[in-house]
Amino acid sequence: MAELQRPTLCCCRKVLTVPGNKSCEGGRSLAHCRLVDVASASNFHSFKLRHFHLDLHLNFAVKRMTGWQVLELTPVQPGVQSLILDTHPSLLIHSVDCKVPGASGAPDVFLSLTYRIEPFTDYGSSLNISLPAAVIRPHRAFRVTIRYTTTDGPAIWWLDAELTCGQTRPLVFTQGHSVCNRSFFPCFDTPAIKSTYSATVRVPEGVTVLMSASRSAYSKQDRVFQFSMEYPVPAYLVALVAGDLQHADIGPRSRVWAEPCILTCAVSKLGGSVERWLNVAEGLFGPYVWGRYDMVFLPPSFPIVAMENPCLTFIISSILESQEFLLIDVIHEIAHGWFGNAVTNATWEEMWLSEGLATYAQRRITTEAYGEAFTCLETVFRLDALHRQMRLLGDNNPVSKLQAKFEPGVNPSSLMNLFTYEKGFCFVSYLSQLCGDIKRFDSFLRAYIEKFRFSSVIAQDLLDFFLGFFPELKESCVAQREGLEFERWLNGCGPPLCEPDLSAGRALTGPVQHLCDLWGLDSPDPQVISTFDLSSWSTFQTVLFLDRLLDRSPLSQEVMSLLSSCYSALLDGMNAEVQIRWLQIVVRNSFYPDLARVRSFLHKHTSRMYTVPLYEDLCGGVMKCFAVEVFYQTQARLHPNLRRTLQQILFQSSALNTSTAPSLLTSPPSASSSPTDPPANGTIALRDVNVSA
């Protein structure tokens, strides 16, 4: 998931028609669907994108990518006079040329094309290229070459050596989800369009380049990397990383990439597990079509937990601290190989088609690999978070819809929330319950993937195929069952209409709730509490316990003192997922004796997933001065994007005195609402969203 942003500018809502293309063969063509993609300025409905090629030179000294892109296109609508692509102000266009194949054996024709850049939204622009009559012949292919330079747009993250794990060489990575890759290369930046791609990347000596591609080659003499993705993918799944990276094979089709200083740790954490998970997934959902499943562990500046780039999952190195969270996150990204990558939501308004199905698939995999109790425990933990978010938003907030209707100008990334995951999961679970046999539902999902592989779909595709696969359910009108109507699932606000039976996890969740209840008594009994040994609990049990304690805040200082004496020293030795929850309890209850632990944690951890929640809590209470002090001490080790986010949290309620600010704090952020208020426009506070892509 990309960085959460607030929508500002507005764009015009256009009714778009998606052409049928090769990637949709075998599935339902979207040619007759009237799709609205308010997040794209492009006229993707007018062309079939057959393939595109990137040729890039990476300059780390000036943090710049320079090169060109070649798009192979075919007009599919008569009267088209221009090609409109999504782009970004950070991307500078130098020239646009066109190659038209000659007719009847005549030489190819090369034309220089005129173009203009027009504003679109705060997250992008439009590149409008005029096409001469010689080009716009229906169903006749032509090629457009765009020469450009791109620097530090939202998709491209340049890290100085000091911000990497090894602190020896700089690193750059891209993050395209949801609509960021328009700052990486001009494109049809919509999940409705898929194509193959290839790339040539030139880098300085000692730099290794990886991309989300099925094939790669390297010329050491020329320092050139070649990539090819032979399967059609949407623009947001094109990804690149370059830096001091080494690898180790962990299975017949899996490899771990990382900086040398963390490679051994990553390999030891994963071992031979990845091939096991892939085999379980294939047994459930059919063949893994992408060939390779490699992973690259990125520095703490990576803005989300993980990203399911085909053939090469990006994952934050901070998660290596927690074995159970690492397990869940990798399995979730594996599940995206079927749900999200092979079959993709056609619009960002139905992200649940990717995330809800992938979450369901993830839990089917963990059930087969680790048992139902473990899966139920993890699900209880996530559903707790969903209901916590629901209490924050209220039952009638439109972002809780599975079919969220974006207003023009809203960045889809800003509405990434737990509903797309957990409410989507609950709906898919409900569909499986309707079948009466989970194995029959596995068969349905295999058939769904087979039919729609390499295409983009809408919810109606899934539900029509479901009712066609189970005609007895269609005959019994399950889609209109009172109180559980499919339409209400999709367009109703609020929590899931029903949740799966999680009683199989009671042996793991029961002790957690019992201990929470003991701490909820007016006078907790230390002797009874001491019979619960948290050191023997799993990470998910411990974080579930701490989350439920956090829900009970404010707690009395007497209870906080007892909690600290019982758990502080023990939790110090646990992973960051556990520690941050205890420290949030400390901060929200203004427990000053443990404030030194908060300082130590923020000095050690520089990732968004751990810093932002604590700073929000510090500024939402009475510890803002402490937060400012720690920020000044640590800001030099924070990525500029994270630094700006923390500045907004710290200084949004009062103007910054620039005369006393350190040099790295370059400008005051604008005033905004109180950090404890729900964000405007339905955007969710980061502390309430900790999800992988």
Side-chain angles (χ1 to χ4, degrees), residues 450-666:
E450 181 65 29
K451 180 173 179 61
F452 295 106
R453 183 179 294 133
F454 301 133
S455 66
S456 298
V457 301
I458 60 177
Q460 200 60 48
D461 295 323
L462 171 69
L463 298 178
D464 286 349
F465 189 68
F466 173 78
L467 294 174
F469 195 87
F470 299 106
E472 71 279 8
L473 296 180
K474 183 177 183 179
E475 291 173 5
S476 64
C477 299
V478 294
Q480 289 81 41
R481 186 169 292 177
E482 186 175 359
L484 294 166
E485 299 90 346
F486 289 0
E487 175 65 20
R488 187 174 173 188
W489 270 104
L490 296 176
N491 289 307
C493 296
L497 300 183
C498 67
E499 296 179 5
D501 178 11
L502 302 175
S503 59
R506 196 166 293 150
L508 298 176
T509 60
V512 172
Q513 186 56 47
H514 188 189
L515 184 57
C516 284
D517 292 340
L518 290 174
W519 281 106
L521 299 175
D522 291 337
S523 299
D525 186 341
Q527 188 171 355
V528 176
I529 286 172
S530 66
T531 62
F532 292 80
D533 181 11
L534 264 62
S535 65
S536 67
W537 282 10
S538 70
T539 292
F540 278 120
Q541 286 178 294
T542 306
V543 295
L544 179 64
F545 166 64
L546 293 174
D547 275 350
R548 290 183 173 180
L549 273 184
L550 194 60
D551 288 340
R552 293 174 181 264
S553 297
L555 302 169
S556 70
Q557 290 298 296
E558 292 77 9
V559 169
M560 284 300 303
S561 295
L562 184 56
L563 280 167
S564 180
S565 65
C566 289
Y567 302 133
S568 272
L570 174 65
L571 299 179
D572 281 345
M574 294 188 180
N575 61 67
E577 292 291 340
V578 172
Q579 288 182 38
I580 189 174
R581 286 167 169 84
W582 167 243
L583 296 179
Q584 285 185 282
I585 294 173
V586 168
V587 170
R588 291 193 194 182
N589 290 280
S590 302
F591 187 64
Y592 288 92
D594 272 5
L595 206 55
R597 289 182 162 91
V598 179
R599 183 190 302 274
S600 177
F601 186 89
L602 289 173
H603 274 262
K604 177 182 177 182
H605 294 281
T606 58
S607 67
R608 175 177 297 268
M609 60 193 282
Y610 297 135
T611 54
V612 170
L614 274 176
Y615 275 102
E616 287 187 328
D617 283 343
L618 286 165
C619 292
V622 296
M623 298 183 176
K624 185 172 181 177
C625 291
F626 172 82
V628 172
E629 177 186 341
V630 174
F631 173 73
Y632 285 166
Q633 293 169 349
T634 60
Q635 62 174 330
R637 296 188 293 110
L638 303 176
H639 188 276
N641 290 355
L642 176 57
R643 196 184 308 147
R644 285 191 290 270
T645 298
L646 296 182
Q647 286 173 336
Q648 291 168 2
I649 294 170
L650 289 165
F651 306 109
Q652 59 184 337
S653 59
S654 61
L656 174 66
N657 184 347
T658 55
S659 63
T660 60
S663 58
L664 282 173
L665 202 57
T666 56

Side-chain angles (χ1 to χ4, degrees), residues 115 153 234 284 386 413 432 543 674:
Y115 63 90
L284 293 169
L386 177 70
S413 300
S432 72
V543 295
S674 166

Side-chain angles (χ1 to χ4, degrees), residues 19-20 43-51 71-77 80 83 131 135-143 188:
N43 60 345
F44 63 86
H45 54 294
S46 299
F47 299 91
K48 174 182 177 181
L49 177 60
R50 302 166 63 91
H51 182 85
L71 299 98
E72 185 176 343
L73 299 152
T74 302
V76 296
Q77 289 187 349
V80 179
L83 168 65
L131 299 177
V135 173
I136 49 177
R137 299 180 182 179
H139 310 295
R140 182 178 176 185
F142 66 98
R143 291 183 179 178
F188 295 137

Side-chain angles (χ1 to χ4, degrees), residues 13 25 41 64 184 283 295 310 314 351 390 536 611 639 685:
R13 184 178 292 265
E25 291 176 1
R64 185 169 62 201
F184 181 15
M295 290 166 287
F314 284 18
M351 276 190 274
M390 195 75 256
S536 67
T611 54
H639 188 276

Side-chain angles (χ1 to χ4, degrees), residues 332-400:
H332 183 84
E333 305 314 315
I334 286 175
H336 272 305
W338 288 262
F339 306 99
N341 294 1
V343 182
T344 308
N345 46 282
T347 76
W348 291 119
E349 293 179 327
E350 294 188 320
M351 276 190 274
W352 75 274
L353 287 169
S354 170
E355 298 301 348
L357 280 161
T359 301
Y360 178 87
Q362 160 212 311
R363 289 173 181 155
R364 285 292 293 122
I365 296 169
T366 58
T367 297
E368 294 295 316
Y370 298 101
E372 191 174 3
F374 173 82
T375 299
C376 288
L377 169 64
E378 184 266 336
T379 306
V380 167
F381 164 69
R382 298 294 187 187
L383 288 179
D384 262 21
L386 177 70
H387 290 292
R388 192 172 301 116
Q389 194 171 95
M390 195 75 256
R391 291 193 295 272
L392 175 75
L393 294 171
D395 286 346
N396 295 319
N397 195 299
V399 303
S400 62

Side-chain angles (χ1 to χ4, degrees), residues 99-167:
K99 176 182 177 182
V100 183
S104 303
D108 294 341
V109 179
F110 294 87
L111 304 171
S112 179
L113 304 181
T114 60
Y115 63 90
R116 66 183 185 274
I117 306 294
E118 297 179 336
F120 178 58
T121 66
D122 63 338
Y123 56 85
S125 310
S126 67
L127 170 61
N128 192 315
I129 303 168
S130 298
L131 299 177
V135 173
I136 49 177
R137 299 180 182 179
H139 310 295
R140 182 178 176 185
F142 66 98
R143 291 183 179 178
V144 170
T145 300
I146 303 172
R147 300 181 184 277
Y148 71 96
T149 297
T150 188
T151 52
D152 59 349
I156 303 173
W157 294 63
W158 297 93
L159 305 187
D160 294 330
E162 294 77 14
L163 296 180
T164 65
C165 296
Q167 300 186 351

